Amino acid sequence: DSGVTQTPKHLITATGQRVTLRCSPRSGDLSVYWYQQSLDQGLQFLIQYYNGEERAKGNILERFSAQQFPDLHSELNLSSLELGDSALYFCASSATTGVNSPLHFGNGTRLTVT
Amino acid sequence: AQTVTQSQPEMSVQEAETVTLSCTYDTSESDYYLFWYKQPPSRQMILVIRQEAYKQQNATENRFSVNFQKAAKSFSLKISDSQLGDAAMYFCASDNNAGNMLTFGGGTRLMVKP
């Protein structure tokens, strides 16, 4: 068990809808990362937060947004959903922002857009 | 931009035998890190091994070792004494020392035959 908790495990919704994915990082970790794993794009980095502030953006669509709250949990909001947004969304956490701080991945949220 | 390529979509190995998974990468950075992650059917991403580019010595973790060829930009994973539990997707990834914003390859599915 990595200590990173993601909810829900599965989510099925329709095109055009909005969903929120939640992540609780490992105890003591200040940095949260979101990754998307899809058949088309593979595994790609979306966005990083550190202690409540956005630190880095990857290939995140404008329809997607995220935030990290004072208690360090994070939410990824996906809106105007399209079929192509169906994917496994991973949250990962690390103690700090440096690469010497290992990433711990959650089990992911499987999003299916119908 | 970094790219990571895994040319073997699928590999198979007999239990107790040795298998090598290939990975090539491209980066303009002089300082970077390379990783192998395992994704079993449980879908959690598990770090197998990491290599700092400035270190000439190949990393080793128990039955897992890498062959890091910096000039050739090659980073292969060798699994010795393969076990049934090694069956999984394996992803090669790179980090340009920006801090855990990993670029992943497309993955190699490893099957272990009893």
Side-chain angles (χ1 to χ4, degrees), chain A residues 21 34-46 64 76 84-91 105-111, chain B residues 6 37-45 89-91 104-109:
Chain A
L21 313 183
W34 288 97
Y35 282 83
Q36 178 196 58
Q37 185 177 27
S38 67
L39 290 175
D40 291 342
Q41 302 293 328
L43 259 165
Q44 58 179 357
F45 165 73
L46 295 180
F64 296 0
L76 179 66
D85 297 328
S86 296
L88 185 57
Y89 291 85
F90 282 107
C91 171
F105 281 85
N107 285 346
T109 293
R110 169 75 69 188
L111 173 66
Chain B
Q6 295 178 248
Y37 277 87
K38 171 184 177 180
Q39 186 178 36
S42 67
R43 77 191 191 194
Q44 186 179 10
M45 298 291 289
M89 284 290 291
Y90 286 82
F91 292 93
F104 285 91
T108 296
R109 180 174 302 280

Side-chain angles (χ1 to χ4, degrees), chain B residues 86-107:
Chain B
D86 294 334
M89 284 290 291
Y90 286 82
F91 292 93
C92 179
S94 68
D95 185 320
N96 65 355
N97 202 24
N100 285 327
M101 287 165 282
L102 305 180
T103 299
F104 285 91

Side-chain angles (χ1 to χ4, degrees), chain A residues 19-78:
Chain A
V19 297
T20 297
L21 313 183
R22 182 187 170 100
C23 169
S24 293
R26 207 173 61 120
S27 178
D29 284 357
L30 299 178
S31 199
V32 169
Y33 308 77
W34 288 97
Y35 282 83
Q36 178 196 58
Q37 185 177 27
S38 67
L39 290 175
D40 291 342
Q41 302 293 328
L43 259 165
Q44 58 179 357
F45 165 73
L46 295 180
I47 197 165
Q48 179 205 359
Y49 279 81
Y50 177 74
N51 205 20
E53 294 188 1
E54 181 185 303
R55 273 299 180 99
K57 268 187 174 180
N59 297 324
I60 188 166
L61 300 173
E62 286 190 6
R63 300 183 286 107
F64 296 0
S65 65
Q67 54 184 331
Q68 186 180 27
F69 295 86
D71 67 352
L72 301 177
H73 90 272
S74 178
E75 293 181 355
L76 179 66
N77 300 295
L78 315 176

Side-chain angles (χ1 to χ4, degrees), chain A residues 100, chain B residues 30-33 51-57 68 70:
Chain A
N100 282 319
Chain B
S30 58
D31 190 15
Y32 53 91
Y33 293 75
Q51 172 85 41
E52 292 92 334
Y54 65 87
K55 288 187 177 179
Q56 293 188 347
Q57 187 173 6
F68 175 45
K70 191 171 184 178

